[in-house]
Amino acid sequence: MIGLAGATLVACADKSVPPRQLAGADAARGLKLIQAEGCGACHRIPGVKWPRGAVGGPLDDLSTQALIAGRFPNRPDVMIAWLRDAPAMSPDTAMPASGLTQDQARDVAAYLYSLDAD
Ligand code: HEC
């Protein structure tokens, strides 16, 4: 898959290191933001017990996906933009704009990229 391109950068490093790193971002804070924002109303997200909505897809496999929402390259900067304001990128999407700041969206992205579908 295309997603392996990023992995070659860390090929010599510990295998537990996720392929998409966000320097200075705090994944634990990201999970708290996900809970506060209510992302679970529309998504199943590991670490979020309730709610577990199904309007959007499950978010357990983003670290290996090549694309975001099936059409945007899965890179941290694109992910952050998507998390902040999906309709700005894709006007007919059912994903609403969030109230996340740039730094908060970085933390959320760090959490989502830390998830391992296994
Ligand atoms: C009202 C329902 C709703 C809420 C609330 C919502 N989303 Fe979404 N989300 C969607 C839908 C629907 C899609 C699919 C978008 C598309 O394909 O256009 C999506 C797509 C995504 C994607 C891309 C998934 C993929 O597999 O490519 C991510 C990442 C994501 N959402 C994260 C979040 C996060 C984080 C939050 C909370 C800040 C959130 N969403 C809140 C409905 C929602």
Tab-separated table of all heavy atoms in Angstrom, residues 3-27:
chain	number	residue	atom	x	y	z
A	3	GLY	N	0.701	3.709	1.890
A	3	GLY	CA	1.018	4.116	3.249
A	3	GLY	C	2.394	3.685	3.723
A	3	GLY	O	2.930	4.239	4.663
A	4	LEU	N	2.981	2.710	3.059
A	4	LEU	CA	4.296	2.237	3.471
A	4	LEU	C	5.389	3.256	3.183
A	4	LEU	O	6.471	3.184	3.746
A	4	LEU	CB	4.642	0.928	2.753
A	4	LEU	CG	3.856	-0.280	3.253
A	4	LEU	CD1	4.177	-1.498	2.410
A	4	LEU	CD2	4.195	-0.555	4.709
A	5	ALA	N	5.138	4.210	2.285
A	5	ALA	CA	6.150	5.202	1.946
A	5	ALA	C	6.669	5.898	3.196
A	5	ALA	O	7.870	6.085	3.355
A	5	ALA	CB	5.584	6.227	0.976
A	6	GLY	N	5.783	6.275	4.093
A	6	GLY	CA	6.206	6.932	5.320
A	6	GLY	C	6.962	6.001	6.238
A	6	GLY	O	7.866	6.411	6.946
A	7	ALA	N	6.614	4.738	6.204
A	7	ALA	CA	7.205	3.781	7.127
A	7	ALA	C	8.691	3.572	6.851
A	7	ALA	O	9.449	3.258	7.756
A	7	ALA	CB	6.464	2.456	7.047
A	8	THR	N	9.106	3.758	5.594
A	8	THR	CA	10.519	3.522	5.290
A	8	THR	C	11.402	4.496	6.056
A	8	THR	O	12.553	4.203	6.337
A	8	THR	CB	10.793	3.664	3.781
A	8	THR	OG1	10.390	4.964	3.374
A	8	THR	CG2	10.048	2.625	2.983
A	9	LEU	N	10.865	5.650	6.399
A	9	LEU	CA	11.644	6.643	7.136
A	9	LEU	C	12.045	6.135	8.510
A	9	LEU	O	13.044	6.562	9.064
A	9	LEU	CB	10.835	7.942	7.299
A	9	LEU	CG	10.526	8.696	6.019
A	9	LEU	CD1	9.567	9.843	6.290
A	9	LEU	CD2	11.811	9.220	5.395
A	10	VAL	N	11.258	5.238	9.065
A	10	VAL	CA	11.554	4.745	10.403
A	10	VAL	C	11.876	3.254	10.366
A	10	VAL	O	11.774	2.562	11.357
A	10	VAL	CB	10.385	4.997	11.385
A	10	VAL	CG1	10.221	6.482	11.638
A	10	VAL	CG2	9.090	4.408	10.862
A	11	ALA	N	12.294	2.780	9.185
A	11	ALA	CA	12.503	1.349	9.005
A	11	ALA	C	13.506	0.796	10.008
A	11	ALA	O	13.399	-0.355	10.419
A	11	ALA	CB	12.965	1.065	7.580
A	12	CYS	N	14.492	1.599	10.393
A	12	CYS	CA	15.526	1.095	11.289
A	12	CYS	C	15.149	1.302	12.751
A	12	CYS	O	15.832	0.836	13.646
A	12	CYS	CB	16.852	1.804	11.031
A	12	CYS	SG	17.409	1.581	9.344
A	13	ALA	N	14.078	2.039	12.977
A	13	ALA	CA	13.724	2.386	14.350
A	13	ALA	C	12.818	1.317	14.955
A	13	ALA	O	12.395	0.377	14.290
A	13	ALA	CB	13.034	3.742	14.377
A	14	ASP	N	12.534	1.490	16.213
A	14	ASP	CA	11.603	0.621	16.934
A	14	ASP	C	10.303	0.478	16.148
A	14	ASP	O	9.727	1.450	15.706
A	14	ASP	CB	11.334	1.277	18.295
A	14	ASP	CG	10.448	0.429	19.193
A	14	ASP	OD1	9.721	-0.450	18.689
A	14	ASP	OD2	10.495	0.653	20.402
A	15	LYS	N	9.840	-0.748	15.990
A	15	LYS	CA	8.625	-0.994	15.205
A	15	LYS	C	7.377	-0.379	15.851
A	15	LYS	O	6.363	-0.187	15.213
A	15	LYS	CB	8.402	-2.503	15.054
A	15	LYS	CG	9.308	-3.155	14.023
A	15	LYS	CD	8.460	-3.639	12.857
A	15	LYS	CE	9.203	-4.504	11.863
A	15	LYS	NZ	10.470	-3.994	11.417
A	16	SER	N	7.444	-0.070	17.131
A	16	SER	CA	6.270	0.486	17.797
A	16	SER	C	6.100	1.972	17.491
A	16	SER	O	5.091	2.553	17.833
A	16	SER	CB	6.370	0.281	19.308
A	16	SER	OG	7.405	1.085	19.822
A	17	VAL	N	7.094	2.576	16.838
A	17	VAL	CA	6.980	3.993	16.510
A	17	VAL	C	6.010	4.152	15.349
A	17	VAL	O	6.203	3.572	14.298
A	17	VAL	CB	8.356	4.572	16.112
A	17	VAL	CG1	8.206	6.012	15.642
A	17	VAL	CG2	9.318	4.483	17.276
A	18	PRO	N	4.945	4.913	15.539
A	18	PRO	CA	3.992	5.064	14.447
A	18	PRO	C	4.625	5.823	13.286
A	18	PRO	O	5.516	6.639	13.487
A	18	PRO	CB	2.836	5.862	15.075
A	18	PRO	CG	3.369	6.433	16.334
A	18	PRO	CD	4.562	5.660	16.734
A	19	PRO	N	4.169	5.553	12.057
A	19	PRO	CA	4.801	6.159	10.891
A	19	PRO	C	4.564	7.658	10.781
A	19	PRO	O	5.293	8.333	10.086
A	19	PRO	CB	4.170	5.425	9.703
A	19	PRO	CG	2.934	4.808	10.240
A	19	PRO	CD	3.142	4.591	11.699
A	20	ARG	N	3.544	8.177	11.415
A	20	ARG	CA	3.288	9.610	11.313
A	20	ARG	C	3.422	10.250	12.684
A	20	ARG	O	2.551	10.123	13.525
A	20	ARG	CB	1.903	9.866	10.734
A	20	ARG	CG	1.781	9.385	9.307
A	20	ARG	CD	0.437	9.715	8.737
A	20	ARG	NE	0.338	9.250	7.367
A	20	ARG	CZ	-0.051	8.027	7.021
A	20	ARG	NH1	-0.376	7.155	7.952
A	20	ARG	NH2	-0.101	7.670	5.765
A	21	GLN	N	4.546	10.934	12.880
A	21	GLN	CA	4.825	11.550	14.163
A	21	GLN	C	4.500	13.030	14.120
A	21	GLN	O	4.731	13.681	13.114
A	21	GLN	CB	6.311	11.390	14.474
A	21	GLN	CG	6.706	9.950	14.701
A	21	GLN	CD	6.721	9.611	16.177
A	21	GLN	OE1	7.212	10.363	16.989
A	21	GLN	NE2	6.173	8.463	16.514
A	22	LEU	N	3.957	13.547	15.194
A	22	LEU	CA	3.670	14.970	15.297
A	22	LEU	C	4.470	15.510	16.480
A	22	LEU	O	4.085	15.310	17.625
A	22	LEU	CB	2.179	15.185	15.511
A	22	LEU	CG	1.348	14.977	14.253
A	22	LEU	CD1	0.052	14.292	14.552
A	22	LEU	CD2	1.106	16.312	13.581
A	23	ALA	N	5.583	16.171	16.165
A	23	ALA	CA	6.479	16.637	17.216
A	23	ALA	C	5.723	17.518	18.205
A	23	ALA	O	5.031	18.452	17.806
A	23	ALA	CB	7.642	17.405	16.610
A	24	GLY	N	5.862	17.196	19.477
A	24	GLY	CA	5.276	18.037	20.512
A	24	GLY	C	3.802	17.829	20.766
A	24	GLY	O	3.241	18.412	21.687
A	25	ALA	N	3.137	17.010	19.944
A	25	ALA	CA	1.713	16.784	20.158
A	25	ALA	C	1.517	15.774	21.291
A	25	ALA	O	2.389	14.966	21.572
A	25	ALA	CB	1.055	16.285	18.878
A	26	ASP	N	0.371	15.850	21.929
A	26	ASP	CA	0.091	15.043	23.117
A	26	ASP	C	-1.136	14.166	22.848
A	26	ASP	O	-2.271	14.632	22.881
A	26	ASP	CB	-0.159	15.993	24.296
A	26	ASP	CG	-0.408	15.248	25.610
A	26	ASP	OD1	-0.802	14.057	25.557
A	26	ASP	OD2	-0.226	15.856	26.661
A	27	ALA	N	-0.879	12.888	22.560
A	27	ALA	CA	-1.965	11.977	22.179
A	27	ALA	C	-2.974	11.785	23.311
A	27	ALA	O	-4.177	11.665	23.056
A	27	ALA	CB	-1.380	10.627	21.758
